[in-house]
Amino acid sequence: MPTTTLTDIVFSYPPAYAAHPAPQPPKDPFQAARRRLRSRGVLATPRHEKTYEALRADLWVRFCYPGILLERIQVLTEFLAVWALHDDAVEGVGVTPGEAARHGDAVMAEGPPSTGADPFERSWWELGRRFAEAGMSGAWRQRVGSLLTTWYHATVVEAALTRKAYPISGAEWIDARKGTTGMALWVTLIEYAYGRELAPETAARPEVAAIHDLADELETYHNDVFGVAKDAREGLPNLVTVTAHENSRSLVQAARAIASEYDAALLRLPGLEASLRAADPDCAWWLQAVRYEFCGVARAHEVVPRYEPVQRLADGTELRVRVDVGAAAQPER
């Protein structure tokens, strides 16, 4: 019998980017969030339940926000679950401009939910209300709402690209995927997780926008490498397969090239950190939280059931994606 070749792809991080995940709270956020989502009609079918089990949104939160206030883990677990479940529902289809605006407005929770709101819109409104109750400013909630609206608009762009008759280029797919990773929003949620907002003038600086863009780019790279087999089964484009086709490479060679692009992109962060720290020395806590999140989102891919430890690719090879970190730190609480 022919032997199967197992290839490792490694995403590496300096020790300063690694932290132990947040501890498990006494009240299990995974089960508590599940009960709330069921009551709102978001978890309404066996398929939804299966997606929720595979996602393990609570683990993403604990890995991405290691210094999170523990009582806030459940809220962000619900947030990510609502987001991921709606993403699955609109993937390949997108939403109308009106729907995008309604969902973004709902999470600002500046008024009552709209009449006839669907379970997702109602959930966004309830999450926004809990942000307000936690003391998050109206300006911060407007940033979250604007980013959520932008993300919904991006699902339309990605859906249109998946329907193209001609082969997608790597540049086209990266541009589309950067819009739908949602990492700019995930980075903005650092402020809720840690109970501390950036100064408004800092949040508006170009370095923060550049960090958001970098976060979207990095997630495009490692999410598609972690999910190449999953996307192939679901008939979806993926940067690995797109790169392999465009450059006449094997899937493993394409995955290695993307990992190298990731390493090069990550090197842009220190320069952005230095520039932002010079403008606002008090944002050092946020910059460290960004480092933890960049590494944490990759580490979460390793442990949640949604992604496979070893992927069998279409060409018969097997791919194992690993995250290599130095000694993890214990963040202050």
Side-chain angles (χ1 to χ4, degrees):
M1 293 178 60
T3 58
T4 301
T5 301
L6 176 64
T7 300
D8 282 335
I9 302 294
V10 181
F11 293 100
S12 299
Y13 297 85
Y17 286 60
H20 294 293
Q24 171 80 354
K27 181 181 178 182
D28 184 357
F30 178 73
Q31 296 299 343
R34 190 207 296 265
R35 288 190 292 271
R36 289 184 69 95
L37 296 174
R38 283 174 174 167
S39 71
R40 295 193 204 121
V42 172
L43 289 179
T45 68
R47 180 181 177 182
H48 293 158
E49 294 281 356
K50 184 177 179 180
T51 298
Y52 184 75
E53 288 279 350
L55 177 66
R56 285 304 304 263
D58 58 315
L59 294 179
W60 290 94
V61 172
R62 290 172 55 205
F63 273 89
C64 291
Y65 309 112
I68 189 173
L69 302 173
L70 296 186
E71 66 274 13
R72 298 190 174 186
I73 293 178
Q74 181 185 330
V75 172
L76 290 189
T77 296
E78 291 178 38
F79 190 103
L80 178 57
V82 170
W83 194 4
L85 285 160
H86 210 194
D87 183 23
D88 282 355
V90 304
E91 191 166 33
V93 181
V95 298
T96 68
E99 288 173 317
R102 284 201 306 275
H103 290 301
D105 288 347
V107 82
M108 298 182 200
E110 294 182 338
S114 62
T115 303
D118 65 30
F120 291 103
E121 185 180 339
R122 178 77 190 192
S123 295
W124 288 131
W125 181 83
E126 290 192 8
L127 287 162
R129 182 172 54 82
R130 289 157 82 184
F131 290 151
E133 290 171 351
M136 302 307 292
S137 69
W140 180 85
R141 285 183 283 122
Q142 286 179 350
R143 282 194 276 137
V144 169
S146 176
L147 287 167
L148 185 60
T149 299
T150 298
W151 176 82
Y152 273 111
H153 284 307
T155 66
V156 179
V157 176
E158 183 180 291
L161 193 58
T162 63
R163 295 193 294 268
K164 294 264 188 177
Y166 59 82
I168 301 168
S169 73
E172 282 181 300
W173 187 242
I174 289 170
D175 284 346
R177 282 290 288 132
K178 282 174 64 177
T180 57
T181 67
M183 281 300 297
L185 178 51
W186 204 230
V187 168
T188 301
L189 291 172
I190 285 172
E191 295 164 74
Y192 171 76
Y194 289 77
R196 185 176 179 182
E197 291 189 32
L198 287 172
E201 59 273 17
T202 301
R205 286 192 61 87
E207 295 92 342
V208 171
I211 287 171
H212 286 175
D213 186 72
L214 177 60
D216 286 330
E217 182 180 346
L218 294 174
E219 173 66 354
T220 296
Y221 294 143
H222 65 60
N223 181 267
D224 277 27
V225 174
F226 272 104
V228 58
K230 170 180 171 292
D231 287 342
R233 286 195 302 272
E234 296 173 3
L236 296 171
N238 179 287
L239 187 58
V240 175
T241 53
V242 168
T243 300
H245 182 272
E246 184 177 32
N247 298 287
S248 300
R249 292 175 170 175
S250 70
L251 293 172
V252 165
Q253 289 171 332
R256 284 180 175 146
I258 292 165
S260 295
E261 291 292 332
Y262 184 98
D263 291 342
L266 189 63
L267 293 176
R268 302 205 304 267
L269 183 60
L272 295 169
E273 291 176 324
S275 179
L276 189 60
R277 193 180 291 111
D280 179 8
D282 290 338
C283 75
W285 70 272
W286 183 82
L287 291 169
Q288 184 58 61
V290 168
R291 287 183 173 192
Y292 287 156
E293 183 166 309
F294 281 9
C295 182
V297 73
R299 294 172 71 196
H301 278 85
E302 284 190 302
V303 299
V304 299
R306 188 177 176 96
Y307 297 95
E308 304 158 51
V310 176
Q311 303 177 73
R312 178 175 284 276
L313 305 183
D315 60 6
T317 58
E318 291 187 337
L319 190 69
R320 179 171 56 193
V321 188
R322 298 189 296 107
V323 178
D324 181 44
V325 299
Q330 184 62 56
E332 296 183 5
R333 297 193 170 277

